Amino acid sequence: MKKFGLCSSLFVGLLFLLALIVPSTYADEQTPADEFRVGMEAAYAPFNWTQTSPGAHTVELSSQKYVGGYDVQIAQKIADKLGKKLVIVPTQWDGLVPALQSGKIDAIIAGMSPTEERKKEIDFTDAYYESQLVVVVNKDGKYANAKSIDDLAGAKITAQLNTFHYSVIDQIPNVDKQQAQKDFSSMRVALASGVIDGYVSERPEGVTATNVNKDFKMLEFSKENGFQTNAEDVQVAVGMRKGDSDVEKVNEILATISSSERTKLMDQAIEEQPTASDEQDSGLLTTFKQIIQQYWKLFLSGAALTLFVAVVSTFAGTIIGLLVGVFRTLPVSENPVSRFFQKVFNGFLTIYIEVFRGTPMMVQAMVIFYGLALAFHIDLNRTVAALLIVSINTGAYMSEIVRGGIFAVDKGQFEAAQAIGMNHRQTMTKVVLPQVLRNILPAIGNETVINIKDTAVLSVISVTDLFFAGSVASGTNLQFFPTFTIIGIIYLVMTLSATKLLRLMEKKMDGPSSYVKIDDLDSQQN
């Protein structure tokens, strides 16, 4: 037990060290009255992107991250006129509307079109940009010389999920419409690998893609040969909550930005975006080196948060599992009232275990993070939400592992403990649980490794873990293979390190497999 206490102290020390290196930007998410909190992907250049060094028109996210782009400059002008400080909240596309409705952000400025479907959920301001639809294809591909959408007949085309871009694909005759993609990073990877023949986008994004990847080509069509759209489909507006009194104020501010100034801002964003200005040297090793040099702070920050969430949640989940597992192995009470409440609570625990083992963590994240805000106005910090989600998910699995560990202890030990006068609590704490903890340590190690990897699903609520950092970097530099290869290596290093550490703890708890008595040692020496 002394060795177990030493290992526990080391474990707690590791948690404290991780807590120190997690960036302070993950602290408080309450919205002060003097802040204008804007949600955007921060990975959709030239509208918005993330970089690791300050620029002329960037907003600081933390000491290691800055966000820039056309949307950021528009947001800055609005915030200045409202007399508020601009705060950018990086949020995945699918989470923008829930984040706005739940009050986690004040506005969406992310290249979002005010479609009729979206207007049912949120309000929109007047347009602050009007774009042209294009199709991005491979320069040497079958459809590189298409002059109209009719020339794309039979092509495998896709677009971003939950955008009107996806609906206009149906205008292409005999098109092989592919499954919608979550973001532009996914579509660019699919196009580069030949999975699709092209994707529908807006001209600024098409310019970005072709500037960086010289194998891409942007197809622009005349009005009569291109997609037929409504005015609101190609317009970009600020999304705000239903009934927000600031909508008219924002409209008045947007009216002061002339058409020529908006064009100038977009041209400036295209010129300043890292992917358009940074020259990529030839050679794969050089590309890896450039990515690491440019984004190492972002990757380190994401890895620290990933490790913090995984380790703390595994520890908390193990505690939950121990409590639940012990309760579910209690003998049935002889008191009728106690027996009734015991059955009720056991039924509640059964529902908890089955629900959290039977549903994906991604779904749990959406329900807990956005559902609590919408239903009960509980505004959870993203990191707190991540810890809560992973902890209770781990607890559901660990409770069954603990229960199995308790039943694996020989019944004779229970009987022996009772024979010397121990009650159930003493039997569990002094005899059974020390053995259970030792026996389930490999399972705890397995849960730690799983949690390190599963934090990636928390990107759905925009937790800026390692996977989110990789998505942001690849969405900006368009170097998908080398970026996610680096991310994969970092994950592998973390999981291998966690496995080695837990095996060391297991060995320490085992103690020496054999020992030599002093008398035998003396006889050997003689």
PDB file of all heavy atoms in Angstrom, residues 248-265:
ATOM      1  N   GLU A 248     -30.136  45.942 -35.803  1.00  0.00           N
ATOM      2  CA  GLU A 248     -30.249  47.227 -36.500  1.00  0.00           C
ATOM      3  C   GLU A 248     -28.981  48.058 -36.343  1.00  0.00           C
ATOM      4  O   GLU A 248     -28.557  48.747 -37.275  1.00  0.00           O
ATOM      5  CB  GLU A 248     -31.464  48.004 -35.994  1.00  0.00           C
ATOM      6  CG  GLU A 248     -32.792  47.409 -36.430  1.00  0.00           C
ATOM      7  CD  GLU A 248     -32.888  47.262 -37.939  1.00  0.00           C
ATOM      8  OE1 GLU A 248     -32.444  48.194 -38.667  1.00  0.00           O
ATOM      9  OE2 GLU A 248     -33.369  46.222 -38.413  1.00  0.00           O
ATOM     10  N   LYS A 249     -28.353  47.981 -35.156  1.00  0.00           N
ATOM     11  CA  LYS A 249     -27.111  48.714 -34.948  1.00  0.00           C
ATOM     12  C   LYS A 249     -26.020  48.203 -35.892  1.00  0.00           C
ATOM     13  O   LYS A 249     -25.272  48.992 -36.485  1.00  0.00           O
ATOM     14  CB  LYS A 249     -26.643  48.560 -33.492  1.00  0.00           C
ATOM     15  CG  LYS A 249     -27.553  49.218 -32.470  1.00  0.00           C
ATOM     16  CD  LYS A 249     -26.986  49.016 -31.064  1.00  0.00           C
ATOM     17  CE  LYS A 249     -27.900  49.633 -30.017  1.00  0.00           C
ATOM     18  NZ  LYS A 249     -27.385  49.412 -28.637  1.00  0.00           N
ATOM     19  N   VAL A 250     -25.966  46.887 -36.017  1.00  0.00           N
ATOM     20  CA  VAL A 250     -24.958  46.302 -36.900  1.00  0.00           C
ATOM     21  C   VAL A 250     -25.242  46.674 -38.356  1.00  0.00           C
ATOM     22  O   VAL A 250     -24.317  46.961 -39.131  1.00  0.00           O
ATOM     23  CB  VAL A 250     -24.907  44.770 -36.733  1.00  0.00           C
ATOM     24  CG1 VAL A 250     -23.954  44.140 -37.750  1.00  0.00           C
ATOM     25  CG2 VAL A 250     -24.469  44.400 -35.315  1.00  0.00           C
ATOM     26  N   ASN A 251     -26.514  46.706 -38.727  1.00  0.00           N
ATOM     27  CA  ASN A 251     -26.867  47.126 -40.091  1.00  0.00           C
ATOM     28  C   ASN A 251     -26.404  48.555 -40.365  1.00  0.00           C
ATOM     29  O   ASN A 251     -25.907  48.865 -41.457  1.00  0.00           O
ATOM     30  CB  ASN A 251     -28.380  47.026 -40.299  1.00  0.00           C
ATOM     31  CG  ASN A 251     -28.823  45.601 -40.608  1.00  0.00           C
ATOM     32  OD1 ASN A 251     -28.042  44.799 -41.113  1.00  0.00           O
ATOM     33  ND2 ASN A 251     -30.061  45.288 -40.295  1.00  0.00           N
ATOM     34  N   GLU A 252     -26.579  49.433 -39.386  1.00  0.00           N
ATOM     35  CA  GLU A 252     -26.133  50.818 -39.546  1.00  0.00           C
ATOM     36  C   GLU A 252     -24.616  50.889 -39.706  1.00  0.00           C
ATOM     37  O   GLU A 252     -24.099  51.691 -40.490  1.00  0.00           O
ATOM     38  CB  GLU A 252     -26.574  51.643 -38.339  1.00  0.00           C
ATOM     39  CG  GLU A 252     -28.091  51.809 -38.239  1.00  0.00           C
ATOM     40  CD  GLU A 252     -28.514  52.506 -36.945  1.00  0.00           C
ATOM     41  OE1 GLU A 252     -27.595  52.882 -36.163  1.00  0.00           O
ATOM     42  OE2 GLU A 252     -29.720  52.655 -36.714  1.00  0.00           O
ATOM     43  N   ILE A 253     -23.907  50.029 -38.973  1.00  0.00           N
ATOM     44  CA  ILE A 253     -22.439  50.011 -39.075  1.00  0.00           C
ATOM     45  C   ILE A 253     -22.005  49.491 -40.441  1.00  0.00           C
ATOM     46  O   ILE A 253     -21.118  50.054 -41.089  1.00  0.00           O
ATOM     47  CB  ILE A 253     -21.841  49.149 -37.942  1.00  0.00           C
ATOM     48  CG1 ILE A 253     -22.151  49.775 -36.582  1.00  0.00           C
ATOM     49  CG2 ILE A 253     -20.332  48.977 -38.130  1.00  0.00           C
ATOM     50  CD1 ILE A 253     -21.818  48.872 -35.402  1.00  0.00           C
ATOM     51  N   LEU A 254     -22.644  48.416 -40.896  1.00  0.00           N
ATOM     52  CA  LEU A 254     -22.292  47.846 -42.205  1.00  0.00           C
ATOM     53  C   LEU A 254     -22.563  48.826 -43.338  1.00  0.00           C
ATOM     54  O   LEU A 254     -21.856  48.839 -44.346  1.00  0.00           O
ATOM     55  CB  LEU A 254     -23.071  46.550 -42.443  1.00  0.00           C
ATOM     56  CG  LEU A 254     -22.718  45.352 -41.537  1.00  0.00           C
ATOM     57  CD1 LEU A 254     -23.654  44.185 -41.819  1.00  0.00           C
ATOM     58  CD2 LEU A 254     -21.273  44.935 -41.730  1.00  0.00           C
ATOM     59  N   ALA A 255     -23.597  49.664 -43.168  1.00  0.00           N
ATOM     60  CA  ALA A 255     -23.936  50.644 -44.207  1.00  0.00           C
ATOM     61  C   ALA A 255     -22.837  51.680 -44.398  1.00  0.00           C
ATOM     62  O   ALA A 255     -22.744  52.312 -45.460  1.00  0.00           O
ATOM     63  CB  ALA A 255     -25.261  51.322 -43.869  1.00  0.00           C
ATOM     64  N   THR A 256     -21.996  51.862 -43.369  1.00  0.00           N
ATOM     65  CA  THR A 256     -20.907  52.850 -43.466  1.00  0.00           C
ATOM     66  C   THR A 256     -19.684  52.292 -44.197  1.00  0.00           C
ATOM     67  O   THR A 256     -18.759  53.032 -44.497  1.00  0.00           O
ATOM     68  CB  THR A 256     -20.490  53.307 -42.060  1.00  0.00           C
ATOM     69  OG1 THR A 256     -19.934  52.188 -41.334  1.00  0.00           O
ATOM     70  CG2 THR A 256     -21.675  53.864 -41.284  1.00  0.00           C
ATOM     71  N   ILE A 257     -19.680  50.961 -44.466  1.00  0.00           N
ATOM     72  CA  ILE A 257     -18.557  50.340 -45.168  1.00  0.00           C
ATOM     73  C   ILE A 257     -18.913  50.273 -46.644  1.00  0.00           C
ATOM     74  O   ILE A 257     -19.797  49.510 -47.050  1.00  0.00           O
ATOM     75  CB  ILE A 257     -18.252  48.936 -44.622  1.00  0.00           C
ATOM     76  CG1 ILE A 257     -18.088  48.968 -43.100  1.00  0.00           C
ATOM     77  CG2 ILE A 257     -16.991  48.372 -45.273  1.00  0.00           C
ATOM     78  CD1 ILE A 257     -17.916  47.599 -42.468  1.00  0.00           C
ATOM     79  N   SER A 258     -18.262  51.068 -47.464  1.00  0.00           N
ATOM     80  CA  SER A 258     -18.589  51.151 -48.882  1.00  0.00           C
ATOM     81  C   SER A 258     -18.201  49.885 -49.622  1.00  0.00           C
ATOM     82  O   SER A 258     -17.396  49.064 -49.132  1.00  0.00           O
ATOM     83  CB  SER A 258     -17.880  52.345 -49.519  1.00  0.00           C
ATOM     84  OG  SER A 258     -16.479  52.166 -49.486  1.00  0.00           O
ATOM     85  N   SER A 259     -18.746  49.734 -50.823  1.00  0.00           N
ATOM     86  CA  SER A 259     -18.441  48.568 -51.654  1.00  0.00           C
ATOM     87  C   SER A 259     -16.962  48.513 -52.014  1.00  0.00           C
ATOM     88  O   SER A 259     -16.347  47.448 -52.005  1.00  0.00           O
ATOM     89  CB  SER A 259     -19.293  48.614 -52.934  1.00  0.00           C
ATOM     90  OG  SER A 259     -18.955  47.550 -53.789  1.00  0.00           O
ATOM     91  N   SER A 260     -16.391  49.672 -52.306  1.00  0.00           N
ATOM     92  CA  SER A 260     -14.964  49.702 -52.658  1.00  0.00           C
ATOM     93  C   SER A 260     -14.089  49.326 -51.464  1.00  0.00           C
ATOM     94  O   SER A 260     -13.069  48.649 -51.618  1.00  0.00           O
ATOM     95  CB  SER A 260     -14.586  51.100 -53.160  1.00  0.00           C
ATOM     96  OG  SER A 260     -14.834  52.080 -52.160  1.00  0.00           O
ATOM     97  N   GLU A 261     -14.506  49.745 -50.270  1.00  0.00           N
ATOM     98  CA  GLU A 261     -13.734  49.404 -49.073  1.00  0.00           C
ATOM     99  C   GLU A 261     -13.814  47.905 -48.798  1.00  0.00           C
ATOM    100  O   GLU A 261     -12.821  47.294 -48.391  1.00  0.00           O
ATOM    101  CB  GLU A 261     -14.243  50.188 -47.866  1.00  0.00           C
ATOM    102  CG  GLU A 261     -13.406  49.963 -46.613  1.00  0.00           C
ATOM    103  CD  GLU A 261     -13.870  50.796 -45.424  1.00  0.00           C
ATOM    104  OE1 GLU A 261     -14.871  51.536 -45.563  1.00  0.00           O
ATOM    105  OE2 GLU A 261     -13.234  50.712 -44.356  1.00  0.00           O
ATOM    106  N   ARG A 262     -14.991  47.304 -49.029  1.00  0.00           N
ATOM    107  CA  ARG A 262     -15.134  45.866 -48.824  1.00  0.00           C
ATOM    108  C   ARG A 262     -14.255  45.091 -49.803  1.00  0.00           C
ATOM    109  O   ARG A 262     -13.625  44.090 -49.426  1.00  0.00           O
ATOM    110  CB  ARG A 262     -16.603  45.460 -48.987  1.00  0.00           C
ATOM    111  CG  ARG A 262     -17.518  46.092 -47.956  1.00  0.00           C
ATOM    112  CD  ARG A 262     -18.968  45.653 -48.130  1.00  0.00           C
ATOM    113  NE  ARG A 262     -19.840  46.454 -47.285  1.00  0.00           N
ATOM    114  CZ  ARG A 262     -21.130  46.210 -47.060  1.00  0.00           C
ATOM    115  NH1 ARG A 262     -21.676  45.157 -47.628  1.00  0.00           N
ATOM    116  NH2 ARG A 262     -21.843  46.996 -46.289  1.00  0.00           N
ATOM    117  N   THR A 263     -14.207  45.553 -51.051  1.00  0.00           N
ATOM    118  CA  THR A 263     -13.339  44.905 -52.036  1.00  0.00           C
ATOM    119  C   THR A 263     -11.880  45.020 -51.623  1.00  0.00           C
ATOM    120  O   THR A 263     -11.097  44.059 -51.747  1.00  0.00           O
ATOM    121  CB  THR A 263     -13.546  45.541 -53.421  1.00  0.00           C
ATOM    122  OG1 THR A 263     -14.918  45.415 -53.807  1.00  0.00           O
ATOM    123  CG2 THR A 263     -12.655  44.876 -54.460  1.00  0.00           C
ATOM    124  N   LYS A 264     -11.513  46.183 -51.101  1.00  0.00           N
ATOM    125  CA  LYS A 264     -10.139  46.407 -50.657  1.00  0.00           C
ATOM    126  C   LYS A 264      -9.790  45.483 -49.489  1.00  0.00           C
ATOM    127  O   LYS A 264      -8.686  44.914 -49.434  1.00  0.00           O
ATOM    128  CB  LYS A 264      -9.960  47.872 -50.244  1.00  0.00           C
ATOM    129  CG  LYS A 264      -8.568  48.209 -49.753  1.00  0.00           C
ATOM    130  CD  LYS A 264      -8.469  49.682 -49.348  1.00  0.00           C
ATOM    131  CE  LYS A 264      -7.090  50.006 -48.788  1.00  0.00           C
ATOM    132  NZ  LYS A 264      -6.997  51.433 -48.360  1.00  0.00           N
ATOM    133  N   LEU A 265     -10.744  45.318 -48.560  1.00  0.00           N
ATOM    134  CA  LEU A 265     -10.509  44.443 -47.410  1.00  0.00           C
ATOM    135  C   LEU A 265     -10.331  42.994 -47.849  1.00  0.00           C
ATOM    136  O   LEU A 265      -9.472  42.273 -47.322  1.00  0.00           O
ATOM    137  CB  LEU A 265     -11.677  44.553 -46.420  1.00  0.00           C
ATOM    138  CG  LEU A 265     -11.822  45.871 -45.644  1.00  0.00           C
ATOM    139  CD1 LEU A 265     -13.073  45.843 -44.785  1.00  0.00           C
ATOM    140  CD2 LEU A 265     -10.586  46.127 -44.782  1.00  0.00           C
TER     141      LEU A 265
END
